[in-house]
Amino acid sequence: MAFFRSVSALSRLRSRVGQQPTLANSVRWLQIQTSTATDLRSELKELIPEYQERVKKLRKEHANVELGKITVDMVLGGMRGMTALVWLGSAVDPDEGIRFRGMTIPDCQKKLPGACPGGEPLPEGILWLLLTGKIPNKEQVDSLSQELRSRATIPDYAFKAIDALPVSAHPMTQFTTGVMALQVESEFQKAYESGIAKARYWEPTYEDTLNLIARLPGIAAYIYRRKYKDGKIIPLDDSLDYGANYAHMLGFDDPEMLEFMRLYISIHSDHEGGNVSSHTAHLVASPLSDPYLAFAAALNGLAGPLHGLANQEVLRWIRSIVAEFGTPNISTEQLSEYIHKTLNSGQVIPGYGHGVLRKTDPRYTCQREFALKHLPNDPYFQLVSKIKEVVPPILTKLGKVKNPWPNVDAHSGVLLNYYGLTEENYYTVLFGVSRAVGVGPQLIWDRALGMPLERPKSVTLEKLEQLCAK
Ligand code: NMX
Ligand code: MLT
């Protein structure tokens, strides 16, 4: 309770100092504590009663506080700007971008443990932070790595389920199929069938989530090896962390690529709750569908070209530019001509625009910084840098695009391509593995906080017209 009171006091102070970024930032930092627990599950168990109390208090004392009004534009415009979900792990500010439990990407790079001092954050650390709101130390993260490795064994029938699909199936179709096969071992489903009490729902959800996160790289790597390589499984390496192991099982062992994978998984993990994949997972889990069912649904949303498939589309589009001019070293005029050609044919410029962001995505910026450090002379990276100069003024001129700046997907492909992962149809699978690290923690909290079945009200077109006529 004492902790809860101090957090509320800090929140009050924070809202008073909202206009003073320096003080607000220092208050935020006070709120993020260093973890002292022995393991992730014990830390979570300790936190749950306090969070339950906070939700109970909000519902009891503030049930009628209004968070905004719902307009016709919101209902017809894909619910943009409608605050309708609670998401613990992260929040997106339109100008500043993502904060994971209050921490920016540079904060995470500074404060979360890496594989080596000063290295990119380990995804295990992001998972710990997103689930508990606390910063883990290296020892805790290493023990979580070990725990994930110990949960990573994949039942043979999951590979067989994937094998039942033609190799030509899109990697995301194969991935969702693999996740659905993993569902056979759902602890939540078993526990529910045996009559588990509501108060304990979070426990099998935690088990399913950690098992799912642990097994995804093995499934994902199998799909890559099956579709693009010799089909032979590269076993997990017991000495490697989560991100490095995924790269290793794909067939990449260059230490720079391992670092990129750690960064990639960390920054793609979470983007608050309203994006299509996260919201889908939360919605599908709300009638108590287990984490496998919910996450498979999320992957199907991620596979849409306006969402996660955009990373595939970006590299395809960049390749089409190179094919058109015969070289990546093209002039600004040539690039501008090609962008107009794309737009005039009724297509979007992939990797640009966003439903919430209104400035350059910080996930783009940190990938650019990685590229500047490791591959500044790569011709594809240089083309991506040129695109960033030429696209925004053209999109702005259209007059309808709310955000002409690059998003996360504008950059990842050229980095993966540089390290030899050239098959762009696979890129969304990498995004999918990463997204589990963000979605999973919220699914556990959904059950711990007793979040209800999601069921918003819809309206017919006639009713909408009647309401507007009044
Ligand atoms: N190129 C061309 N037109 C665009 C673009 C773009 N990159 N972005 C937005 N527009 C158009 C959009 O199609 C819409 O046109 P219309 O009214 O004719 O339907 C108009 O601008 C207004 O759209 P916005 O309100 O700016 O964007 P919205 O929130 O509806 O959509 C995206 C957001 C991300 C779907 C949109 O910007 C887009 O299609 N971008 C390209 C695909 C992409 O990069 N998606 C990845 C997003 C990040 N992720 O990983 O999920
Ligand atoms: C995401 O990471 O989910 C994308 O940027 C899309 C979004 O936030 O709407």
Side-chain angles (χ1 to χ4, degrees), residues 101-113:
R101 290 283 191 161
M103 287 169 67
T104 62
I105 292 172
D107 290 340
C108 292
Q109 286 171 313
K110 252 183 258 141
K111 296 273 169 186
L112 291 178

Side-chain angles (χ1 to χ4, degrees), residues 188-210:
F188 183 86
Q189 188 187 25
K190 266 188 253 158
Y192 193 83
E193 282 170 5
S194 328
I196 188 176
K198 204 173 176 178
R200 292 187 48 220
Y201 282 172
W202 73 267
E203 295 174 22
T205 305
Y206 177 92
E207 295 306 316
D208 278 355
T209 298
L210 282 217

Side-chain angles (χ1 to χ4, degrees), residues 77-78 80 268 271 275-277 302 304-311 313-314 342-343 346-358 361 363 391 395 398-410 431 435:
R80 294 291 183 288
H268 283 78
H271 214 233
N275 68 73
V276 171
S277 47
L302 196 71
L306 297 188
H307 188 22
L309 205 80
N311 55 10
E313 294 305 300
V314 167
T342 303
L343 291 170
Q347 298 171 58
V348 293
I349 304 299
Y352 283 75
H354 201 272
V356 175
L357 292 170
R358 293 296 173 256
D361 191 333
R363 298 172 297 177
V391 165
L395 288 184
L398 292 180
K400 61 176 184 178
V401 181
K402 296 198 187 66
N403 172 27
W405 302 106
N407 59 52
V408 66
D409 299 313
F431 195 159
R435 189 47 49 104

